[in-house]
Amino acid sequence: MRLPQPFYQLPVLFDVACLQTEVAALPDEAWAPHPDGVPGNSAARLITVGGAESDAHVGQMLPTRWLAGMPYLRQVLAGFGVVWSRSRLMRLAPGVGVPEHADINYHWHNRVRLHIPVFTTPEVRFHCDGQSVHMAAGETWLFDNWRRHHVENNSTVERVHLVADTSGTSDFWQFARKPLPPRTQWRTLPMKPGANPQVLTEADQRSVVMPAAEVQLLIDDLRGELTVAADSDEARSRGERFDRLLESFVFDWRQLCALHGTAGRGLAQFDGLTHSVHQAARALGDGLVMRTNGVDAMLVLEKRVLQHLIVE
């Protein structure tokens, strides 16, 4: 989710000792390597598709057995009053980092990533779009993961953050975006022995074919960010043709949705349109990037739109 500024700190604190006790009790088998093989990165899965040991983004989200055994962490998540998508404890080994990147996948178009540090030291720094912060244990942070960001753990100990994905309610966003009051006025959530609140999790969001309104939303967002990496008459011309191609694609997808609906009829025509637009875009996309983060426009089109138009 694109945000007006790189970082937001929320005026709420959590019991660090309770968090650390629950996380430290996890067995070794709870920790899985990073799905992309990033060295020194591992995670304990808390909310996943079907509650299984999975890194998938799409499907019915449910608590895992690890979250079931962490009563305070469930209270923390439930206390925000929002619906959670994929959520994990993310561990970063001493002396390593998370390489610079931007989160461009479809999953991130309408979701934000919330961070609550559990184990950390001042040597751990989070960088986003030229700004840098230390997220202290028990604090709550959001950041704009559409912008380029990276993490450095320059300490001699492991860093562990609770990292949870949500689109947020109106109350959540009013709370997150209001001016930060003095720290003495921040809310604190203590452990409530015996409490077992319901953690709200996302239902399966998929239709067989992506509705035309959502396609337009995604394409309009991409078109608004489109620019050229190196300015020239030829690059600007390709950018204009790329933009017109995307506009035409939305019209044609809407017509197919009008004819067939989104339940799965006419899949060959939807697939044919997707393929033809993909090929035409590849011929035009060289040197076209996103204005905010410099990511290749063709990569964004593929990962945020084309790969998610039809459920296989």
Side-chain angles (χ1 to χ4, degrees):
M1 183 180 294
R2 204 165 303 161
L3 300 177
Q5 62 194 51
F7 292 104
Y8 288 84
Q9 187 173 13
L10 279 60
V12 59
L13 297 168
F14 298 99
D15 188 320
V16 175
C18 284
L19 288 171
Q20 292 181 346
T21 297
E22 291 190 348
V23 172
L26 287 171
D28 289 342
E29 65 176 306
W31 297 95
H34 192 279
D36 294 329
V38 180
N41 286 249
S42 56
R45 303 171 176 117
L46 303 177
I47 297 174
T48 65
V49 174
E53 292 293 330
S54 167
D55 293 306
H57 292 86
V58 181
Q60 172 66 61
M61 294 289 171
L62 293 172
T64 66
R65 57 180 170 143
W66 311 120
L67 181 57
M70 307 175 84
Y72 183 58
L73 210 149
R74 293 200 310 273
Q75 292 174 35
V76 168
L77 290 171
F80 286 96
V82 301
V83 177
W84 296 106
S85 184
R86 190 180 69 158
S87 301
R88 299 169 291 174
L89 290 163
M90 300 189 72
R91 186 171 65 179
L92 191 58
V96 302
V98 178
E100 185 177 65
H101 66 287
D103 296 312
I104 62 173
N105 288 356
Y106 170 77
H107 176 80
W108 296 115
H109 184 72
N110 288 318
R111 296 176 182 88
V112 70
R113 174 163 279 185
L114 180 140
H115 278 247
I116 298 176
V118 179
F119 291 99
T120 189
T121 69
E123 292 79 19
V124 177
R125 304 293 299 181
F126 202 115
H127 302 263
C128 183
D129 198 23
Q131 297 186 25
S132 171
V133 300
H134 168 64
M135 301 177 179
E139 295 180 345
T140 307
W141 291 80
L142 304 173
F143 76 99
D144 183 353
N145 57 344
W146 173 256
R147 308 182 198 220
R148 301 197 72 84
H149 56 277
H150 69 282
V151 184
E152 297 174 326
N153 181 7
N154 293 318
S155 75
T156 58
V157 297
E158 292 177 336
R159 183 227 73 173
V160 179
H161 281 197
L162 167 61
V163 180
D165 302 344
T166 184
S167 56
T169 62
S170 58
D171 287 344
F172 173 86
W173 284 110
Q174 289 173 18
F175 180 64
R177 290 174 171 171
K178 69 182 181 182
L180 202 63
R183 198 174 180 96
T184 55
Q185 299 177 19
W186 292 12
R187 287 167 36 189
T188 300
L189 183 72
M191 171 69 169
K192 295 181 179 179
N196 187 26
Q198 181 184 8
V199 177
L200 305 176
T201 57
E202 282 190 7
D204 193 336
Q205 305 294 304
R206 295 172 295 182
S207 56
V208 176
V209 173
M210 186 181 289
E214 186 172 4
V215 171
Q216 176 150 18
L217 179 68
L218 293 168
I219 292 295
D220 286 352
D221 185 73
L222 193 159
R223 292 174 66 199
E225 279 273 296
L226 189 65
T227 190
V228 294
D231 193 26
S232 69
D233 290 343
E234 191 272 338
R236 287 196 301 273
S237 174
R238 280 190 293 103
E240 291 168 359
R241 284 181 284 158
F242 193 93
D243 181 78
R244 289 196 298 270
L245 173 68
L246 297 183
E247 181 183 41
S248 298
F249 167 61
V250 173
F251 284 129
D252 292 341
W253 192 267
R254 184 182 293 116
Q255 282 291 283
L256 287 181
C257 287
L259 178 63
H260 296 298
T262 60
R265 288 175 47 200
L267 288 182
Q269 290 178 267
F270 284 107
D271 189 62
L273 175 59
T274 301
H275 180 74
S276 65
V277 168
H278 191 191
Q279 294 301 110
R282 286 175 64 88
L284 297 170
D286 187 44
L288 303 181
V289 298
M290 299 291 95
R291 182 175 290 103
T292 302
N293 56 25
V295 174
D296 181 81
M298 191 64 214
L299 185 62
V300 174
L301 177 62
E302 290 171 343
K303 288 184 170 291
R304 183 159 279 197
V305 186
L306 298 182
Q307 292 178 4
H308 305 278
L309 291 171
I310 301 172
V311 175
E312 299 294 337

